[in-house]
Amino acid sequence: MAPPRFTVDHYLTYATQQELQARLDRLRERYGIPGISVAIVMPDGSSWLGVSGLADVAAARPVTTSTSFAVASISKTFTAALILSLAEEGRIDLDAPVRTYLPTLKKVGARVLVRQLLDHTSGLRDYFFHASIDRALLSNTDRRWDAADALRYVGSSYFKPGAGWHYSNTNYLVLGLLAESVGHAPLGDQVRARFLGPLGLDRTWYQPGEAAEADVAHGYRFTSPARDAKPIDLSDGTAIVPFTSVVTAAGGAGGFASDARDLARWARDLYGGRLVTPETFARMTDDTATVAYKARVPYGLGVQLIDIDGRLTLGHSGRLLGFRSAVRYLPNEGVSIAVLTNQSRVDPGPILRSLLRLALTPDRTPCRCFDSP
């Protein structure tokens, strides 16, 4: 990839940092979000970290720059990166049937290819949209699910493999199983050994299989769209957020937690082309197949390709009951941004866009007044 073509100052002035924090506070209040954490990583590696609101409403515990959140479907970026790395080593053929590696998994048709799981062209129905699964998850929130439990809620396929596009968490639940089968180790262990450890992302972990960090936000739901509606805490009393059943059922599709700085750095490294070969990166960011199927969001292999104010961004969004998040990397500018919230009724996309627009506003008096990861 060519060097970033960053057209404004490489780092933010103190005045811009103050404006970012003030805008973050206003946006959190406008949307009635309990707590929010944001990280913006600039081309030189320096970062701005902004937080607002509460990680735990009842305890009046504020969000700090080290508070972690469930990141929901941003987890797919870790699962996809692992699968692509295993493919680079020749241990997985992306164009092979999934049953080559998981021969007893009858919920996946014999013609479904590994690549089709990655870009959501498999046709596999999303188990999280089964009419009965919410009742099962919420009736016993501290129960641990496994993949077999979740796969029981997979219905008939949306279409034949390769004949369309439909986002489905089932694809990444299966990819997690595939990675564990081929890599002979739990998903979280493999992601940590290959990526989290070497990159120093020590505030990121796989919730179904790893111990939680101490500073973790609770997730909240609301029964009303009103800004002053009372947040309802979803915690089940364990360290898994928002609660055990939904996170363990999500697996490789949504099982990770992280803080904003780790996620922004992860996006910079992954979408800056530092973690895979140029050939793999080109395949990962090729959305030709999904655009042809008029995908709701242009999608590569585990990555969304979205235009924000005329700028190409690579990244992913995430949503679980109690949490919503988004992470984006701007390849032409060399800037990454992560926005994490502990609620699920408000799309963080407009918040991300507003803060990014301000951060990219040219400023002639740069001042290195913040940390560098």
PDB file of all heavy atoms in Angstrom, residues 107-109 112 122-126 154-161:
ATOM      1  N   LYS A 107     -24.850 -28.670   9.694  1.00  0.00           N
ATOM      2  CA  LYS A 107     -25.579 -27.421   9.482  1.00  0.00           C
ATOM      3  C   LYS A 107     -25.014 -26.613   8.310  1.00  0.00           C
ATOM      4  O   LYS A 107     -25.664 -25.684   7.821  1.00  0.00           O
ATOM      5  CB  LYS A 107     -25.550 -26.560  10.741  1.00  0.00           C
ATOM      6  CG  LYS A 107     -26.451 -27.039  11.860  1.00  0.00           C
ATOM      7  CD  LYS A 107     -27.922 -26.793  11.513  1.00  0.00           C
ATOM      8  CE  LYS A 107     -28.813 -27.140  12.684  1.00  0.00           C
ATOM      9  NZ  LYS A 107     -30.247 -26.823  12.398  1.00  0.00           N
ATOM     10  N   VAL A 108     -23.815 -26.944   7.890  1.00  0.00           N
ATOM     11  CA  VAL A 108     -23.172 -26.260   6.764  1.00  0.00           C
ATOM     12  C   VAL A 108     -23.216 -27.184   5.555  1.00  0.00           C
ATOM     13  O   VAL A 108     -22.691 -28.300   5.596  1.00  0.00           O
ATOM     14  CB  VAL A 108     -21.720 -25.884   7.103  1.00  0.00           C
ATOM     15  CG1 VAL A 108     -21.047 -25.224   5.904  1.00  0.00           C
ATOM     16  CG2 VAL A 108     -21.684 -24.968   8.317  1.00  0.00           C
ATOM     17  N   GLY A 109     -23.829 -26.728   4.478  1.00  0.00           N
ATOM     18  CA  GLY A 109     -23.951 -27.546   3.277  1.00  0.00           C
ATOM     19  C   GLY A 109     -22.608 -27.919   2.680  1.00  0.00           C
ATOM     20  O   GLY A 109     -21.610 -27.209   2.856  1.00  0.00           O
ATOM     21  N   VAL A 112     -20.685 -25.185   0.576  1.00  0.00           N
ATOM     22  CA  VAL A 112     -20.294 -23.894   1.143  1.00  0.00           C
ATOM     23  C   VAL A 112     -18.773 -23.831   1.252  1.00  0.00           C
ATOM     24  O   VAL A 112     -18.142 -24.715   1.830  1.00  0.00           O
ATOM     25  CB  VAL A 112     -20.924 -23.689   2.531  1.00  0.00           C
ATOM     26  CG1 VAL A 112     -20.405 -22.394   3.160  1.00  0.00           C
ATOM     27  CG2 VAL A 112     -22.443 -23.647   2.424  1.00  0.00           C
ATOM     28  N   SER A 122     -22.355 -17.207   1.777  1.00  0.00           N
ATOM     29  CA  SER A 122     -22.631 -18.636   1.972  1.00  0.00           C
ATOM     30  C   SER A 122     -24.110 -18.965   1.899  1.00  0.00           C
ATOM     31  O   SER A 122     -24.488 -20.096   1.605  1.00  0.00           O
ATOM     32  CB  SER A 122     -22.095 -19.088   3.334  1.00  0.00           C
ATOM     33  OG  SER A 122     -22.894 -18.523   4.378  1.00  0.00           O
ATOM     34  N   GLY A 123     -24.955 -17.996   2.237  1.00  0.00           N
ATOM     35  CA  GLY A 123     -26.392 -18.246   2.330  1.00  0.00           C
ATOM     36  C   GLY A 123     -26.826 -18.791   3.669  1.00  0.00           C
ATOM     37  O   GLY A 123     -28.036 -18.955   3.903  1.00  0.00           O
ATOM     38  N   LEU A 124     -25.898 -19.070   4.597  1.00  0.00           N
ATOM     39  CA  LEU A 124     -26.275 -19.626   5.895  1.00  0.00           C
ATOM     40  C   LEU A 124     -27.119 -18.628   6.683  1.00  0.00           C
ATOM     41  O   LEU A 124     -26.762 -17.459   6.807  1.00  0.00           O
ATOM     42  CB  LEU A 124     -25.021 -19.989   6.692  1.00  0.00           C
ATOM     43  CG  LEU A 124     -24.182 -21.161   6.168  1.00  0.00           C
ATOM     44  CD1 LEU A 124     -22.924 -21.315   7.002  1.00  0.00           C
ATOM     45  CD2 LEU A 124     -24.994 -22.447   6.180  1.00  0.00           C
ATOM     46  N   ARG A 125     -28.226 -19.104   7.214  1.00  0.00           N
ATOM     47  CA  ARG A 125     -29.137 -18.220   7.942  1.00  0.00           C
ATOM     48  C   ARG A 125     -28.534 -17.824   9.295  1.00  0.00           C
ATOM     49  O   ARG A 125     -27.863 -18.611   9.940  1.00  0.00           O
ATOM     50  CB  ARG A 125     -30.487 -18.903   8.142  1.00  0.00           C
ATOM     51  CG  ARG A 125     -31.583 -17.972   8.678  1.00  0.00           C
ATOM     52  CD  ARG A 125     -32.954 -18.609   8.532  1.00  0.00           C
ATOM     53  NE  ARG A 125     -33.337 -18.703   7.118  1.00  0.00           N
ATOM     54  CZ  ARG A 125     -33.977 -17.766   6.441  1.00  0.00           C
ATOM     55  NH1 ARG A 125     -34.306 -16.621   7.054  1.00  0.00           N
ATOM     56  NH2 ARG A 125     -34.291 -17.938   5.188  1.00  0.00           N
ATOM     57  N   ASP A 126     -28.787 -16.612   9.718  1.00  0.00           N
ATOM     58  CA  ASP A 126     -28.239 -16.055  10.956  1.00  0.00           C
ATOM     59  C   ASP A 126     -29.026 -16.595  12.148  1.00  0.00           C
ATOM     60  O   ASP A 126     -30.212 -16.315  12.307  1.00  0.00           O
ATOM     61  CB  ASP A 126     -28.325 -14.529  10.913  1.00  0.00           C
ATOM     62  CG  ASP A 126     -27.511 -13.855  11.999  1.00  0.00           C
ATOM     63  OD1 ASP A 126     -27.287 -14.490  13.046  1.00  0.00           O
ATOM     64  OD2 ASP A 126     -27.123 -12.692  11.808  1.00  0.00           O
ATOM     65  N   VAL A 154     -30.086 -22.331  13.674  1.00  0.00           N
ATOM     66  CA  VAL A 154     -29.869 -22.011  12.259  1.00  0.00           C
ATOM     67  C   VAL A 154     -31.002 -22.617  11.440  1.00  0.00           C
ATOM     68  O   VAL A 154     -31.212 -23.827  11.455  1.00  0.00           O
ATOM     69  CB  VAL A 154     -28.509 -22.550  11.763  1.00  0.00           C
ATOM     70  CG1 VAL A 154     -28.354 -22.286  10.263  1.00  0.00           C
ATOM     71  CG2 VAL A 154     -27.378 -21.905  12.530  1.00  0.00           C
ATOM     72  N   GLY A 155     -31.722 -21.775  10.732  1.00  0.00           N
ATOM     73  CA  GLY A 155     -32.820 -22.252   9.905  1.00  0.00           C
ATOM     74  C   GLY A 155     -32.379 -22.551   8.487  1.00  0.00           C
ATOM     75  O   GLY A 155     -31.190 -22.697   8.198  1.00  0.00           O
ATOM     76  N   SER A 156     -33.334 -22.625   7.580  1.00  0.00           N
ATOM     77  CA  SER A 156     -33.038 -22.915   6.181  1.00  0.00           C
ATOM     78  C   SER A 156     -32.248 -21.761   5.570  1.00  0.00           C
ATOM     79  O   SER A 156     -32.369 -20.599   5.983  1.00  0.00           O
ATOM     80  CB  SER A 156     -34.330 -23.133   5.404  1.00  0.00           C
ATOM     81  OG  SER A 156     -35.168 -22.001   5.501  1.00  0.00           O
ATOM     82  N   SER A 157     -31.433 -22.085   4.578  1.00  0.00           N
ATOM     83  CA  SER A 157     -30.533 -21.102   3.984  1.00  0.00           C
ATOM     84  C   SER A 157     -31.291 -19.977   3.283  1.00  0.00           C
ATOM     85  O   SER A 157     -32.408 -20.164   2.791  1.00  0.00           O
ATOM     86  CB  SER A 157     -29.603 -21.787   2.978  1.00  0.00           C
ATOM     87  OG  SER A 157     -28.766 -22.727   3.628  1.00  0.00           O
ATOM     88  N   TYR A 158     -30.652 -18.799   3.229  1.00  0.00           N
ATOM     89  CA  TYR A 158     -31.228 -17.665   2.506  1.00  0.00           C
ATOM     90  C   TYR A 158     -31.226 -17.932   1.004  1.00  0.00           C
ATOM     91  O   TYR A 158     -32.140 -17.528   0.276  1.00  0.00           O
ATOM     92  CB  TYR A 158     -30.413 -16.394   2.770  1.00  0.00           C
ATOM     93  CG  TYR A 158     -30.439 -15.902   4.186  1.00  0.00           C
ATOM     94  CD1 TYR A 158     -29.270 -15.834   4.934  1.00  0.00           C
ATOM     95  CD2 TYR A 158     -31.624 -15.481   4.790  1.00  0.00           C
ATOM     96  CE1 TYR A 158     -29.268 -15.347   6.237  1.00  0.00           C
ATOM     97  CE2 TYR A 158     -31.633 -15.004   6.101  1.00  0.00           C
ATOM     98  CZ  TYR A 158     -30.460 -14.942   6.811  1.00  0.00           C
ATOM     99  OH  TYR A 158     -30.468 -14.467   8.095  1.00  0.00           O
ATOM    100  N   PHE A 159     -30.161 -18.586   0.528  1.00  0.00           N
ATOM    101  CA  PHE A 159     -29.992 -18.865  -0.899  1.00  0.00           C
ATOM    102  C   PHE A 159     -28.897 -19.917  -1.040  1.00  0.00           C
ATOM    103  O   PHE A 159     -28.241 -20.293  -0.054  1.00  0.00           O
ATOM    104  CB  PHE A 159     -29.611 -17.595  -1.667  1.00  0.00           C
ATOM    105  CG  PHE A 159     -28.556 -16.756  -0.998  1.00  0.00           C
ATOM    106  CD1 PHE A 159     -27.211 -17.126  -1.035  1.00  0.00           C
ATOM    107  CD2 PHE A 159     -28.907 -15.608  -0.295  1.00  0.00           C
ATOM    108  CE1 PHE A 159     -26.239 -16.371  -0.410  1.00  0.00           C
ATOM    109  CE2 PHE A 159     -27.931 -14.846   0.346  1.00  0.00           C
ATOM    110  CZ  PHE A 159     -26.592 -15.225   0.285  1.00  0.00           C
ATOM    111  N   LYS A 160     -28.682 -20.395  -2.261  1.00  0.00           N
ATOM    112  CA  LYS A 160     -27.617 -21.363  -2.503  1.00  0.00           C
ATOM    113  C   LYS A 160     -26.253 -20.691  -2.331  1.00  0.00           C
ATOM    114  O   LYS A 160     -26.112 -19.494  -2.581  1.00  0.00           O
ATOM    115  CB  LYS A 160     -27.742 -21.944  -3.906  1.00  0.00           C
ATOM    116  CG  LYS A 160     -28.981 -22.808  -4.103  1.00  0.00           C
ATOM    117  CD  LYS A 160     -29.036 -23.369  -5.516  1.00  0.00           C
ATOM    118  CE  LYS A 160     -30.271 -24.255  -5.699  1.00  0.00           C
ATOM    119  NZ  LYS A 160     -30.372 -24.808  -7.087  1.00  0.00           N
ATOM    120  N   PRO A 161     -25.249 -21.454  -1.908  1.00  0.00           N
ATOM    121  CA  PRO A 161     -23.923 -20.861  -1.696  1.00  0.00           C
ATOM    122  C   PRO A 161     -23.423 -20.114  -2.931  1.00  0.00           C
ATOM    123  O   PRO A 161     -23.475 -20.637  -4.052  1.00  0.00           O
ATOM    124  CB  PRO A 161     -23.042 -22.082  -1.403  1.00  0.00           C
ATOM    125  CG  PRO A 161     -23.980 -23.102  -0.854  1.00  0.00           C
ATOM    126  CD  PRO A 161     -25.267 -22.893  -1.574  1.00  0.00           C
TER     127      PRO A 161
END
